[in-house]
Amino acid sequence: MSQQYEAHGLWGRIANGLEENLIALILGLMTVITFANVIMRYIFQSSLIWGLEATLALFAWLVLIGMSYAVKINSHLGVDAIINILPPAARRLLALLAGGFCVFYAVLLLKGAWDYWAPFAGMQQTGGRWFPTGFVETRDRAFYTTEQIPMPGVLGWMGDAFNQGEAYEKLPRLVPYFALPLGVALLLFRLLQAMWHIWKGDRAGLIVSHEAEDAIQDLRQMNREE
């Protein structure tokens, strides 16, 4: 059966609240921007020219932050038809093995994410084909900006920090692209955390099990209450 996530401890509740509020904020901003664009287009014959690009950037943040959150609350779907016929010890071993492969993939993904984002922040990429072997000289791309998204006033300091003192006219690409290394780093952390919980016996696996049965059970319960 699927497990209901419950944050433990003060820092656990704080981290969970931050993640959930960030996801809710991103969804809210996407909804507001899209709704405002529809109203402006059909009523005022105008539009937010930067609305589509901003929504796409927010959607990328939503996906990349959401994938680690889904690991934490054990809501990723998977096929468990064969796993469930195995004894508990074998299921635990397979869960740890699967977690090991996921961690390995996340490490590779994190290197790629950093190497993609770093030039847009004026930082160096890592050397090595598979794993970092140090930093290498990298062409600075910190001057790259988004096409239409305006530069918020509160981020005016970024020109001095990343663009050699020149103010950005549009939002720099390093801001929306930062979702990539941040999301993958969180994914790696949550996978390691999930493997630790599996090792201790607090968690059965990395995927939600019998989600269809749970949905049917919830529907039956709702019908009884009616």
Side-chain angles (χ1 to χ4, degrees):
M1 302 294 287
S2 61
Q3 300 173 348
Q4 182 69 30
Y5 175 78
E6 183 178 350
H8 298 284
L10 176 61
W11 291 111
R13 290 192 294 270
I14 291 175
N16 188 62
L18 287 174
E19 285 180 295
E20 291 183 345
N21 287 327
L22 177 59
I23 292 172
L25 176 63
I26 293 173
L27 282 170
L29 288 174
M30 292 174 62
T31 302
V32 169
I33 292 173
T34 303
F35 178 75
N37 243 343
V38 172
I39 296 299
M40 292 179 67
R41 183 179 298 113
Y42 289 100
I43 297 181
F44 302 102
Q45 304 300 314
S46 180
S47 67
L48 297 174
I49 192 171
W50 48 267
L52 177 60
E53 188 178 13
T55 302
L56 289 174
L58 289 169
F59 184 71
W61 273 79
L62 180 65
V63 171
L64 293 168
I65 298 298
M67 66 181 181
S68 63
Y69 181 76
V71 171
K72 183 182 74 171
I73 65 174
N74 198 32
S75 64
H76 279 295
L77 300 182
V79 179
D80 58 2
I82 297 179
I83 297 176
N84 286 338
I85 66 177
L86 298 175
R91 288 201 299 267
R92 183 186 180 199
L93 179 61
L94 286 179
L96 290 172
L97 182 62
F101 281 117
C102 290
V103 167
F104 176 73
Y105 177 73
V107 170
L108 298 180
L109 196 61
L110 182 58
K111 172 179 165 50
W114 172 266
D115 289 345
Y116 184 84
W117 174 78
F120 293 100
M123 300 181 185
Q124 295 179 338
Q125 296 174 321
T126 60
R129 183 178 181 85
W130 297 92
F131 296 98
T133 57
F135 292 99
V136 297
E137 290 295 328
T138 306
R139 179 173 175 266
D140 192 329
R141 300 177 186 172
F143 60 89
Y144 279 53
T145 63
T146 55
E147 296 293 332
Q148 302 292 344
I149 304 177
M151 182 65 176
V154 295
L155 298 180
W157 55 270
M158 297 187 71
D160 294 328
F162 298 100
N163 199 29
Q164 301 179 0
E166 296 186 16
Y168 287 107
E169 295 183 1
K170 302 293 182 181
L171 184 71
R173 293 191 184 184
L174 70 94
V175 175
Y177 289 178
F178 181 62
L180 191 57
L182 176 62
V184 176
L186 286 174
L187 175 65
L188 177 59
F189 172 73
R190 293 303 183 190
L191 286 170
L192 290 171
Q193 189 179 53
M195 286 187 65
W196 174 246
H197 290 163
I198 293 171
W199 177 261
K200 293 194 304 178
D202 298 334
R203 181 168 174 170
L206 295 174
I207 61 175
V208 61
S209 176
H210 302 306
E211 67 280 351
E213 293 181 11
D214 288 348
I216 294 173
Q217 184 64 30
D218 291 341
L219 182 60
R220 288 174 178 171
Q221 183 64 29
M222 291 174 58
N223 290 334
R224 292 194 193 101
E225 293 176 355
E226 293 177 355

